[in-house]
C-alpha cells in the first residue's frame, strides 16, 4: 500500500470508521486535502476492499482495512514510546519521526518493539495503543473546556498537533499531571489553571485539545 493510502486508512480509523460511516468532509478536513481528491482515493480504497464506500453516506473500514489501520497505529504509537522514553525525543519530534517509521516497519519489528517496551497501553501523548488483535483500552475523557472552575482532574491525552505539543511541553504539562481550573476568562480568553499546583495560563484553543478524566 502507498503511504498516501495508509494515511487515509489510519485517519478513517481514528475518526471512528471501524464502527460507523465517516463522511468525506471529515476526511478532507483531517487530511487537509480537497473533497475531489478524497472521492478519488475512496474509490481506490474500495477497489482494494479496504473500505465500503456509499456515496452521500460515507466510508466504513472492512476487516482488511481495520487490520491495516491497527498495524499502522500500533507502529506509530509504539515508536513514539521508544523515541521519547529511550532516545529523549520531544513530543513533536517523536510524532514527526513516527509518521515516517510507521510506513516502513514490518509487523515482526513492531511486535518485538512492543515486547521490548513492556506492552505499553498508551503512547506518550495519551492515545491508546491497539493490541495485536485490535483490542483497545478506552478511557472516559472530556476536554479541559468541559471542566468547571475549581474542578480538578488528571491530564490523560493531548491532540497530536506539533505546535500544540511544543506549547504544552514548554508549559510543563505532562500526561498524568493533576490539573485544576481556576478561571475561564470571558470571550474565550486564556484559561487560568494549576498544573501539579503550579499556576499557568493556557490558551482557550489549546485547552480544547487537552483531555482529562471525565470524573
Ligand atoms: Zn502519540
Amino acid at each position: 500500500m502507498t503511504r498516501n493510502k495508509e494515511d487515509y486508512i489510519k485517519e478513517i480509523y481514528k475518526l471512528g470508521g471501524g464502527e460507523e460511516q465517516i463522511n468525506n468532509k471529515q476526511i478532507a478536513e483531517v487530511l487537509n486535502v480537497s473533497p475531489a481528491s478524497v472521492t478519488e482515493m475512496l474509490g481506490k480504497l474500495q477497489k482494494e476492499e479496504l473500505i465500503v464506500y456509499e456515496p452521500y453516506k460515507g466510508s466504513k473500514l472492512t476487516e482488511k482495512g481495520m487490520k491495516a489501520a491497527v498495524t499502522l497505529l500500533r507502529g506509530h504509537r509504539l515508536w513514539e514510546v521508544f523515541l521519547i522514553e529511550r532516545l529523549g525525543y520531544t513530543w513533536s519530534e517523536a510524532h514527526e519521526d513516527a509518521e515516517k517509521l510507521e510506513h516502513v516497519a514490518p509487523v515482526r519489528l513492531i511486535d518485538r518493539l512492543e515486547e521490548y517496551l513492556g506492552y505499553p497501553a498508551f503512547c506518550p501523548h495519551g492515545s491508546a495503543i491497539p493490541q495485536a488483535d485490535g483490542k483497545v483500552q478506552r478511557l472516559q475523557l472530556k476536554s479541559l473546556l468541559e471542566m468547571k472552575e475549581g474542578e480538578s482532574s488528571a491530564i490523560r491525552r493531548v491532540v497530536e498537533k506539533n505546535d500544540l505539543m511544543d506549547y504544552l511541553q514548554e508549559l510543563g504539562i505532562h500526561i498524568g499531571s493533576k490539573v485544576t481550573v481556576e478561571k475561564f476568562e470571558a470571550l474565550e480568553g486564556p484559561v487560568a489553571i494549576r498544573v501539579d499546583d503550579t499556576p499557568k495560563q493556557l490558551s482557550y484553543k489549546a485547552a480544547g485539545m487537552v483531555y482529562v478524566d471525565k470524573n
Side-chain angles (χ1 to χ4, degrees):
M1 216 191 301
T2 63
R3 182 170 169 168
N4 197 17
K5 282 182 190 163
E6 290 186 335
D7 284 336
Y8 268 80
I9 293 295
K10 195 176 67 168
E11 291 308 327
I12 293 170
Y13 176 90
K14 279 160 76 179
L15 288 166
E19 287 106 43
E20 54 180 36
Q21 289 176 315
I22 304 303
N23 69 50
N24 295 17
K25 198 172 154 241
Q26 285 172 280
I27 301 170
E29 260 170 36
V30 291
L31 285 165
N32 211 359
V33 291
S34 71
S37 35
V38 171
T39 311
E40 193 195 333
M41 178 57 93
L42 294 178
K44 289 184 193 165
L45 296 176
Q46 162 123 298
K47 228 180 228 162
E48 290 183 34
E49 295 174 351
L50 291 159
I51 61 163
V52 177
Y53 172 55
E54 277 187 79
Y56 307 107
K57 284 193 173 164
S59 309
K60 194 167 175 236
L61 293 169
T62 61
E63 210 181 305
K64 187 180 166 193
M66 277 292 279
K67 254 194 167 153
V70 162
T71 303
L72 286 161
L73 273 181
R74 273 170 59 72
H76 182 96
R77 293 175 179 165
L78 287 164
W79 281 122
E80 287 180 333
V81 175
F82 177 76
L83 296 172
I84 289 173
E85 286 185 3
R86 309 293 160 119
L87 303 186
Y89 272 52
T90 68
W91 276 357
S92 60
E93 285 172 344
H95 181 67
E96 246 174 60
D97 284 3
E99 281 291 325
K100 299 187 181 118
L101 290 165
E102 70 184 22
H103 297 288
V104 293
V107 172
R108 176 172 59 191
L109 174 56
I110 295 307
D111 289 345
R112 294 283 270 275
L113 183 64
E114 182 182 37
E115 188 186 343
Y116 172 73
L117 294 169
Y119 299 92
F122 297 93
C123 85
H125 314 106
S127 296
I129 300 174
Q131 293 171 14
D133 61 7
K135 279 205 193 86
V136 194
Q137 208 170 314
R138 285 186 210 284
L139 299 179
Q140 295 294 318
L141 304 179
K142 64 181 177 187
S143 104
L144 204 144
L145 291 178
E146 294 171 75
M147 291 175 74
K148 298 194 173 59
E149 289 180 352
E151 187 184 345
S152 298
S153 193
I155 294 175
R156 293 293 177 218
R157 186 170 83 80
V158 302
V159 172
E160 297 185 24
K161 279 185 190 294
N162 285 342
D163 51 352
L164 173 75
M165 291 190 285
D166 288 340
Y167 172 74
L168 294 174
Q169 263 200 317
E170 218 148 278
L171 275 175
I173 284 173
H174 306 282
I175 300 300
S177 294
K178 181 188 162 202
V179 61
T180 307
V181 171
E182 301 273 274
K183 193 169 179 6
F184 290 107
E185 293 296 343
L187 301 165
E188 302 187 356
V191 185
I193 56 172
R194 269 185 295 129
V195 177
D196 296 325
D197 288 321
T198 312
K200 314 218 181 245
Q201 298 264 350
L202 193 62
S203 84
Y204 186 87
K205 201 173 166 196
M209 294 189 273
V210 172
Y211 289 84
V212 301
D213 280 326
K214 203 161 193 173
N215 293 305

